[in-house]
Amino acid sequence: MKAIGVYDFGGPDVLRVLRLPEPQAGPGEVRIRVHAAAVNPTDIMLRSGGHASRMPGRRPPFVPGMDAAGVIDQLGPGADERLAVGQRVVAIVLFTSAHGGAYAEQIVVPAASVVPAPEGVDLAAASTLLMNAMTARLALDALAVPPDGTVAVTGAAGAVGGYAVELAKADGLTVIADAAPHDTDRVRGFGADHVVERGPEVAARIRALVPEGVPGLVDGSIQTTETVPAIADGGTLAELRGWSGPAERGIRVRPVMVTDGITDTERLNTLRRQVEDGTLTLHVADVLPAEKAAQAHRLLEAGGLRGRLVLDFS
């Protein structure tokens, strides 16, 4: 099968087309003929060597990718009865597993990581859902702000931030979100109740709206210490890149790892249904042939994208 991966860590040009053995689904696993794989920042970290410490003893090639959409073409023994060969599905893929990541014509994943693709959307759009939306879901759950409460979201124009705004509104929360001037309408479209200007002074701008501070904040912009002053005494900060503090005034810092939800089928199914009912909106920046993965990585690293890039393996 064709895959895209790296033998040596480095810049985008280390990505190359690979020919790998066709994988086989084992007990409790599903094989998916991939049609689309979303390109996420964690893929860049793998390519550049940022995840090397998570793969001790593993030998190259390394295949990136955590988000895939396609059609089931093989069920392993004991695979979940809710799934069937020929079914359109989406999956979160653990690139550190022996099977590798989503940048491949065929992937093998635990059945628990697979749910039906949302009805009414194409597979390219469907591939952008699970990893970022699950990250947002876990972040909000870590905050545990009760309905009618207020949360803040930084990086609200991005993939995780946008989903965090939409999910928080569905949870009955008031949302303060940040945005650059050209993204204000986009973030308001996600449902944000208040939009403040993004940047190093974001905490002061949030405090201007809520003088006592917000009880919870999702740090989608990875500003870490710059966001802490926006949080009320004893509140909670959800961090997406592993930062764990310290923070003063009794503020709890909760690092969020999407791998904690990778086999949470119930949550994954809920996210799929929330696309179908309009709670969550999918955003594709562009679809590129799989062979242009290096170009996709360069575009993502350049910044300024709205929506996810998708690699076409169909």
Side-chain angles (χ1 to χ4, degrees):
M1 68 166 184
K2 178 175 72 178
I4 307 295
V6 302
Y7 280 93
D8 301 296
F9 300 125
D13 290 336
V14 301
L15 289 163
R16 61 184 67 183
V17 177
L18 310 172
R19 292 291 172 182
L20 302 179
E22 182 181 88
Q24 303 298 317
E29 294 180 328
V30 172
R31 190 175 72 189
I32 299 170
R33 172 61 176 90
V34 175
H35 287 241
V39 179
N40 289 291
T42 193
D43 306 351
I44 289 174
M45 292 181 66
L46 172 63
R47 186 210 75 218
S48 61
H51 288 309
S53 63
R54 299 178 60 192
M55 301 180 290
R58 287 281 308 282
R59 297 174 61 85
F62 303 114
V63 177
M66 291 193 72
D67 263 327
V71 177
I72 292 175
D73 70 357
Q74 186 184 64
L75 296 174
D80 201 317
E81 293 181 356
R82 65 193 172 81
L83 303 172
V85 171
Q87 185 177 14
R88 296 169 74 254
V89 293
V90 289
I92 296 187
V93 187
L94 189 60
F95 60 82
T96 56
S97 75
H99 293 300
Y103 290 13
E105 287 181 323
Q106 290 175 305
I107 59 172
V108 170
V109 294
S113 300
V114 181
V115 295
E119 294 290 339
V121 301
D122 61 36
L123 290 175
S127 76
T128 67
L129 170 65
L130 289 184
M131 197 196 85
N132 293 286
M134 177 60 85
T135 302
R137 180 69 271 164
L138 292 172
L140 290 168
D141 291 347
L143 299 183
V145 175
D148 299 327
T150 299
V151 296
V153 178
T154 66
V160 174
Y163 285 140
V165 173
E166 292 179 327
L167 289 169
K169 290 304 299 176
D171 291 348
L173 300 170
T174 296
V175 179
I176 302 171
D178 73 347
H182 60 273
D183 282 324
T184 297
D185 289 344
R186 174 183 176 83
V187 172
R188 288 195 187 280
F190 293 147
D193 298 282
H194 307 280
V195 180
V196 299
E197 187 175 352
R198 63 176 295 184
E201 300 302 317
V202 68
R205 295 177 182 124
I206 293 169
R207 281 275 185 168
L209 292 171
V210 185
E212 69 276 17
V214 293
L217 186 147
V218 177
D219 185 20
S221 58
I222 322 298
Q223 289 180 255
T224 61
T225 56
E226 291 180 345
T227 67
V228 172
I231 302 169
D233 294 358
T236 307
L237 172 62
E239 277 296 330
L240 309 184
R241 294 283 179 87
W243 187 69
S244 58
E248 300 175 346
R249 299 184 289 109
I251 293 171
R252 298 173 294 275
V253 182
R254 298 284 188 255
V256 175
M257 300 297 291
V258 72
T259 48
D260 291 340
I262 203 166
T263 56
D264 190 335
T265 310
E266 183 177 352
R267 270 195 179 122
L268 296 173
N269 251 325
T270 297
L271 295 170
R272 182 261 301 179
R273 287 192 293 267
Q274 288 180 305
V275 173
E276 294 175 341
D277 68 18
T279 298
L280 295 176
T281 54
L282 305 177
H283 300 272
V284 176
D286 199 3
V287 180
L288 289 77
E291 294 81 2
K292 293 191 175 182
Q295 179 182 344
H297 277 223
R298 282 191 288 269
L299 289 169
L300 182 55
E301 287 183 302
L305 293 172
R306 293 298 173 256
R308 282 287 178 236
L309 295 165
V310 176
L311 299 179
D312 181 4
F313 282 89
S314 61

